[in-house]
Amino acid sequence: MTDRTDRAGRPDSVDRTERTERVVPETERRRRRPTKQGTVLSEQVIVDTALRLVGQHGAQAFTVRRLGLALGADPSAIYRYFRSTDDLLLAVADELIGLGLNGWRPTGDWRADLREVGLRIHAHSLAHPQAAVLAAYRTTGRANEIRAIETMLGILRGAGFPDPDAVSLYHAFIDQALGFAVLDSAAIALPATAQHADSGVWDTAYRDLSPDTHPHITATADLLAADMRRSAYPLALDLLLDALAARLPS
């Protein structure tokens, strides 16, 4: 949803190989017979399965061969629906965006609406932490991303923000949401032992400091131990919305 290269420093593509000659229209490509797994292939079935596999193995370990095995289909069949592995991963990222918007309805209160959209993006990212990292740094240009951008710009313009402000504030809003989504998703994706170890640092290293050398940390050690274990996104979101409200023309 943002014009970003890979925030982790990886190339802005997993597989640029184009296979346009093998992609056929939706009405002509539906598989008539079930696969070995009893699945009738469709674009949605492939995306749902890919989303599950990305969640299990991460985008960098995702392969069409692995997807074909999960579907019980020859891997080459995937290219009847998607031009390349990268094209498929963009569809997975777009699916995650759509999950965050499904069921949401505007209330007419711009602040409440933006807050709800932001919290939905964050919650669905945490539910799919591996895919969330992919969705954060890619621009899909697909239906769900387009719907999300149209929705958020509509909220801001409807609230009375001039177009230049609406665009820049949308940019700040979505980058904040996706940034926290990546940060919190990365923590959730850690092995359980690493999560436990990181959390325990607040009860050991920081509680053992001397008030003579670190008076501020020792005075707030209990608060730190409790607060640092939860996401700061809801607070950061409210602070951003306060700043937006202050900029709203009278």
Side-chain angles (χ1 to χ4, degrees), residues 102-126:
N102 286 348
W104 177 80
R105 295 291 182 273
T107 66
D109 180 332
W110 71 267
R111 179 173 180 136
D113 287 345
L114 279 182
R115 191 175 196 279
E116 178 65 16
V117 169
L119 293 176
R120 278 172 165 265
I121 291 171
H122 188 255
H124 282 277
S125 295
L126 300 192

Side-chain angles (χ1 to χ4, degrees), residues 50-150:
L51 180 60
R52 175 171 58 83
L53 291 179
V54 168
Q56 293 172 348
H57 306 289
Q60 296 306 304
F62 174 82
T63 65
V64 171
R65 181 179 297 276
R66 180 172 277 159
L67 177 60
L69 288 172
L71 291 166
D74 188 294
S76 64
I78 307 303
Y79 295 112
R80 291 174 58 82
Y81 299 82
F82 300 96
R83 294 180 176 85
S84 63
T85 304
D86 194 54
D87 190 35
L88 172 55
L89 288 174
L90 288 175
V92 170
D94 199 63
E95 178 70 10
L96 185 58
I97 296 170
L99 290 174
L101 290 178
N102 286 348
W104 177 80
R105 295 291 182 273
T107 66
D109 180 332
W110 71 267
R111 179 173 180 136
D113 287 345
L114 279 182
R115 191 175 196 279
E116 178 65 16
V117 169
L119 293 176
R120 278 172 165 265
I121 291 171
H122 188 255
H124 282 277
S125 295
L126 300 192
H128 302 276
Q130 296 284 1
V133 176
L134 175 68
Y137 67 77
R138 299 303 303 273
T139 303
T140 75
R142 291 172 176 263
N144 288 320
E145 180 182 80
I146 291 171
R147 177 162 62 106
I149 296 173
E150 176 71 12

